[in-house]
Amino acid sequence: MPAWLPRFVRPRLLKEQGIVGMNARNARYIAAWNARRFYPRVDDKLQTKQLALDAGLAVPELYGVVRTHRQIRDVRTQLPTYTDGFVIKPAHGAAGDGILVIEGWRGDRPRRAGGRAMELSELDDHMSNILSGMYSLGGRPDVAMIEQRVRFSSIFDSVSYRGVPDIRTVVYRGYPVMAMMRLPTQDSDGKANLHQGAVGTGIDLGSGRTIGGVRYNKPCREHPDSEQSIVGLQIPGWEQLMELAAGCYELSQMGYLGVDVVIDADRGPLILELNARPGLAIQIANGEGLDHRITAVEAHMVARETEMPAERARWAAEVFARPENTQPDEPEAPATATNPA
């Protein structure tokens, strides 16, 4: 248990700080606003990408899709044409499992993130494992997607271990309400997954600057591997990112949504995937509970007719901006509980 976390937290304190627990999230937000018929729009990454393309939202380029074992050999012969690398991932994977990042080539052999060269037969095996359902939810047969490798902005070089950092934004009924950047570490094996040891750093919605963060549920201010500060980093293309996140409401038809975006050095913010069940550690990273912000959105919507994504993003950036004198200091970690009602 973290040193700053008391062994018992009074429910009144949780309510005062606006902390949303898992029961409240599941009942008041996910069950109330996320209709089951729309889950395939976010659980199937291939469907998510097609919907985003149809809506004109920016996503990493899709190079190909492998649906059968017979297609593996044909697709593999095309891979050397992607000289800047590529990514192979399952359409129904979770927690980053099954994602293989190829950074380039060493002669006729693909080179993984970290520099290790692979045999082409290893790519065949990996795609075959994806098709068999090794990485999919419930072990169901899956399809393999081959995508553009994102070349992330160099501003994150000193605070990311090998992998690509991403930005998770929680969107409530079309309005961005909270965001954090997830930074890969050695413990997380280069994946931007908090459960595996990545760092989550809160972001001021008004400025797009990081404000300190959390790792293993403990507040932190530095990246554990590089010991570089994670406070005060400016996210490139922040206004565009906020508008992208807001636009995913129409795309998904879900009222409580996690939008994961990566920053490509050339193309700017790109939608990576959507999540119908975004976790709650984002509250610790931001030092603030979600409930007060969600209440503000509901009050705003009472007096408003339908707003476009850009309008919703601007409103959220203005209303949820942190005061100037609190930037870029690390927020105090809020009181929290594992599963408050």
Side-chain angles (χ1 to χ4, degrees):
M1 177 176 293
W4 50 265
L5 180 62
R7 293 185 178 276
F8 175 78
V9 180
R10 294 183 181 277
R12 186 175 70 177
L13 177 59
L14 296 172
K15 184 176 182 180
E16 289 174 353
Q17 295 193 348
I19 301 299
V20 174
M22 291 192 63
N23 286 348
R25 181 202 65 171
N26 294 343
R28 291 162 50 193
Y29 305 133
I30 294 178
W33 295 106
N34 293 356
R36 295 295 305 180
R37 67 181 183 277
F38 294 130
Y39 271 66
R41 292 181 173 223
V42 300
D43 287 343
D44 184 338
K45 295 179 180 61
L46 185 58
Q47 186 174 155
T48 299
K49 183 177 291 289
Q50 189 58 58
L51 288 169
L53 290 171
D54 292 344
L57 301 180
V59 293
E61 183 179 351
L62 180 65
Y63 292 155
V65 179
V66 180
R67 301 180 185 276
T68 68
H69 290 273
R70 294 184 60 181
Q71 293 177 325
I72 291 177
R73 184 178 297 275
D74 293 336
V75 169
R76 193 241 287 165
T77 61
Q78 299 298 317
L79 297 180
T81 63
Y82 308 126
T83 55
D84 290 332
F86 52 89
V87 177
I88 301 176
K89 66 182 183 182
H92 295 89
D97 291 339
I99 297 178
L100 176 63
V101 179
I102 300 299
E103 289 189 338
W105 295 82
R106 183 178 298 168
D108 59 356
R109 301 170 67 195
R111 188 182 73 250
R112 294 189 61 171
R116 186 177 76 84
M118 299 177 62
E119 301 296 335
L120 288 174
S121 60
E122 293 182 80
L123 295 183
D124 293 356
D125 292 342
H126 186 73
M127 287 185 279
S128 180
N129 288 337
I130 290 175
L131 296 183
S132 67
M134 178 176 289
Y135 309 106
S136 67
L137 296 171
R140 296 173 298 175
D142 206 347
V143 301
M145 302 169 57
I146 304 170
E147 289 185 340
Q148 165 198 358
R149 181 178 72 89
V150 174
R151 299 168 60 88
F152 64 92
S153 174
S154 60
I155 192 174
F156 304 129
D157 285 349
S158 64
V159 291
S160 181
Y161 177 82
R162 292 187 178 176
V164 177
D166 66 18
I167 292 93
R168 159 70 58 84
T169 305
V170 173
V171 178
Y172 180 70
R173 300 177 68 183
Y175 293 84
V177 292
M178 195 169 282
M180 70 174 171
M181 182 162 62
R182 301 183 297 188
L183 303 167
T185 65
Q186 186 171 1
D187 278 3
S188 70
D189 194 29
K191 297 178 181 178
N193 189 298
L194 298 190
H195 297 293
Q196 297 178 0
V199 173
T201 174
I203 303 174
D204 169 33
L205 294 193
S207 66
R209 296 176 68 196
T210 59
I211 56 174
V214 61
R215 181 169 180 258
Y216 290 131
N217 288 328
K218 296 182 180 180
C220 65
R221 295 177 62 88
E222 297 177 346
H223 192 278
D225 301 315
S226 66
E227 298 184 352
Q228 296 295 308
S229 175
I230 61 172
V231 179
L233 299 174
Q234 178 65 55
I235 310 298
W238 181 248
E239 291 184 7
Q240 182 185 351
L241 186 152
M242 287 278 281
E243 186 174 342
L244 270 179
C248 288
Y249 172 61
E250 283 82 3
L251 181 154
S252 66
Q253 295 296 301
M254 289 193 166
Y256 185 76
L257 183 70
V259 179
D260 296 342
V261 171
V262 290
I263 309 294
D264 186 81
D266 299 318
R267 298 180 59 195
L270 304 175
I271 298 171
L272 191 63
E273 61 182 69
L274 306 181
N275 192 315
R277 317 161 191 84
L280 298 171
I282 193 170
Q283 299 176 109
I284 305 177
N286 281 273
E288 185 177 348
L290 278 164
D291 191 58
H292 296 326
R293 297 192 179 192
I294 288 174
T295 299
V297 169
E298 292 173 338
H300 171 74
M301 295 182 70
V302 169
R304 292 279 176 166
E305 296 182 356
T306 303
E307 291 182 302
M308 298 298 291
E311 295 173 304
R312 299 196 299 264
R314 283 195 297 270
W315 178 87
E318 179 180 346
V319 173
F320 301 133
R322 289 179 176 265
E324 288 289 336
N325 61 4
T326 67
Q327 299 176 14
D329 294 336
E330 179 185 354
E332 291 184 5
T336 185
T338 304
N339 197 23

